Amino acid sequence: MISWATMLYGAGLSVLAAVVAVVVVGRDRSIEVLGPVVVAAFAGPVGWNAVLHATHAREFFTDAPVAVFPASWQDAGSGVVALAAAVVVLSLVRPNAKSSRTLLLGAICGVAAFLVDIYLY
């Protein structure tokens, strides 16, 4: 089980990775995109890990036996919840944006949170 300090540290790293990924891969620097990405990349991993912490779900922290990609269900959950949060918040902030663009930006945010969770905490 990871501590609250580790959760917050990891969420902070997820924010940095998601913002860089959206700027570089998504080619968007607008505040109406980066703001929701920051919120989602922080709230997604913290929310998911808080649920695992509250339910004492230690089994979710078992890494896959693949040295180069040791993902766990906990890592995947962080990415999925970050993706969902990004799509919801982006949809609320930019209701007239193309849904494909919203999904792309959300996916970038989710993948960034997932990779940070696997490799950095």
Side-chain angles (χ1 to χ4, degrees):
M1 194 62 52
I2 61 176
S3 68
W4 287 101
T6 302
M7 284 184 227
L8 296 175
Y9 168 75
L13 292 176
S14 293
V15 167
L16 291 175
V19 166
V20 168
V22 165
V23 168
V24 173
V25 177
R27 297 181 183 169
D28 202 322
R29 296 181 181 178
S30 67
I31 193 69
E32 69 179 10
V33 168
L34 294 180
V37 165
V38 166
V39 169
F42 187 84
V46 169
W48 173 246
N49 285 306
V51 168
L52 295 180
H53 193 273
T55 59
H56 308 287
R58 288 174 178 79
E59 299 83 24
F60 279 77
F61 290 87
T62 304
D63 290 341
V66 180
V68 295
F69 197 68
S72 68
W73 287 112
Q74 180 266 340
D75 303 327
S78 292
V80 168
V81 177
L83 174 136
V87 169
V88 168
V89 177
L90 284 165
S91 295
L92 292 172
V93 172
R94 305 172 62 211
N96 297 324
K98 286 180 134 182
S99 57
S100 59
R101 181 71 179 158
T102 300
L103 182 58
L104 173 66
L105 294 170
I108 291 169
C109 181
V111 168
F114 176 56
L115 293 175
V116 164
D117 209 328
I118 292 172
Y119 295 111
L120 299 180
Y121 75 103

